Amino acid sequence: MLKQRILTAMVLIPLALLGLFGLTGGAFALFTGAVVLLAAWEWANLSGFERLGPRLGYVLVLAMAMLAAWHMNVMMATWPLWIALLGWLVSFYWIATYPESLKQWSHSWLRLLTGLWVLLPCWIGFVQLRSSGAEWLLYVLLMVWLADIGAYFAGRRFGRRKLAPAVSPGKSWEGVYGGMIATAVLAIGFAVVLELSFGRSLGLIVTTIVVTLVSVLGDLMESMFKRLRGIKDSGDLLPGHGGVLDRIDSLTAAVPLFALLRLWG
């Protein structure tokens, strides 16, 4: 398993770096769109559709929505990001009240619809951040990765109070605090490197802490859906790493919100 994880990472990391930072414009949109469509394939399975036809149909629907968004020039609009924000507020309620909330979202068609407002705004957010400069795309990626690392080590060392035991028993509030500290340090470092004013630096720190908290919802909601389906991973497209959705679940929440706060601020 470890060998598989290492070999997969050796192939994926250069490809991801090339696609995320070597491409711009339409090429970047195609690259990130392909990743999101792979996640949509797995989301259909999370929604209870195992057969080839329905899963391909769902991927096609999302692909058509992406194409329409591109041709209707909504790629720099904020309203898809606002939809994502409202959707994640609903998700927060579902997670906080699980398992009582199960009857509200357990229908397969509702989980499919949920995937549309999760995945499409995430893709739009990626395109918007890349258009505003590679440094902000790099920043949101580092933020999510550091939040995971900080949460892992803080949770292992200090974890006592469970965050959402019914959804993901391994997560703790201490882990969340560790992730927030790690990303706050990142924000301070970025502010220094970019020589931001005090006001902009403070805004970046606050934005970072808020987005770090919201990114946890992406992980928890996927865990909640997997728990209903009785599966460990969203897929097996990445040997040793599970599915694509397993790797980008936190980004689906963090990217659209960070893009919204960047543009709105």
Side-chain angles (χ1 to χ4, degrees):
M1 178 66 73
L2 179 60
K3 183 179 179 181
Q4 254 189 347
R5 289 178 67 89
I6 293 173
L7 289 175
T8 301
M10 288 176 64
V11 174
L12 287 181
I13 289 175
L15 287 176
L17 292 176
L18 177 62
L20 291 171
F21 301 105
L23 302 176
T24 58
F28 177 84
L30 283 173
F31 174 78
T32 50
V35 173
V36 170
L37 289 177
L38 289 174
W41 167 263
E42 296 173 350
W43 193 283
N45 181 46
L46 286 184
S47 300
F49 294 92
E50 300 182 38
R51 290 187 301 162
L52 178 65
R55 294 178 73 179
L56 283 177
Y58 186 63
V59 171
L60 180 60
V61 168
L62 184 58
M64 292 174 63
M66 288 176 167
L67 189 62
W70 183 266
H71 284 289
M72 292 171 62
N73 297 318
V74 300
M75 298 309 297
M76 298 309 294
T78 59
W79 64 263
L81 308 179
W82 282 108
I83 290 175
L85 175 59
L86 292 174
W88 284 110
L89 289 174
V90 173
S91 298
F92 172 74
Y93 173 76
W94 286 345
I95 293 166
T97 58
Y98 180 85
E100 288 77 14
S101 65
L102 188 61
K103 60 181 178 295
Q104 299 177 15
W105 55 265
S106 59
H107 296 291
S108 294
W109 65 268
L110 184 55
R111 279 178 282 160
L112 282 180
L113 288 177
T114 301
L116 292 179
W117 61 250
V118 168
L119 298 174
L120 184 59
C122 177
W123 174 65
I124 292 175
F126 264 117
V127 173
Q128 292 189 7
L129 288 174
R130 186 66 180 92
S131 298
S132 66
E135 67 274 13
W136 294 115
L137 176 62
L138 174 63
Y139 183 84
V140 74
L141 293 173
L142 288 175
M143 178 173 55
V144 170
W145 292 336
L146 285 176
D148 286 343
I149 293 171
Y152 175 78
F153 285 106
R156 282 180 62 89
R157 177 64 178 84
F158 304 107
R160 296 292 184 274
R161 295 175 299 162
K162 299 300 183 181
L163 176 63
V167 176
S168 184
K171 287 183 171 53
S172 67
W173 278 106
E174 290 79 8
V176 173
Y177 300 148
M180 291 169 61
I181 292 171
T183 57
V185 171
L186 172 69
I188 294 170
F190 246 68
V192 171
V193 170
L194 297 180
E195 299 181 344
L196 301 181
S197 65
F198 176 78
R200 292 189 64 195
S201 299
L202 183 60
L204 180 61
I205 294 170
V206 172
T207 295
T208 297
I209 291 175
V210 171
V211 175
T212 298
L213 286 170
V214 172
S215 71
V216 178
L217 295 178
D219 191 335
L220 288 175
M221 188 163 75
E222 193 206 2
S223 296
M224 191 170 66
F225 281 20
K226 288 192 293 188
R227 185 170 292 276
L228 179 63
R229 288 282 287 116
I231 56 179
K232 181 178 181 292
D233 298 318
S234 64
D236 56 4
L237 292 174
L238 307 177
H241 292 265
V244 173
L245 196 56
D246 293 323
R247 303 278 66 83
I248 69 167
D249 51 4
S250 296
L251 287 169
T252 59
V255 167
L257 179 59
F258 185 75
L260 176 63
L261 293 176
R262 280 278 307 147
L263 293 172
W264 193 40

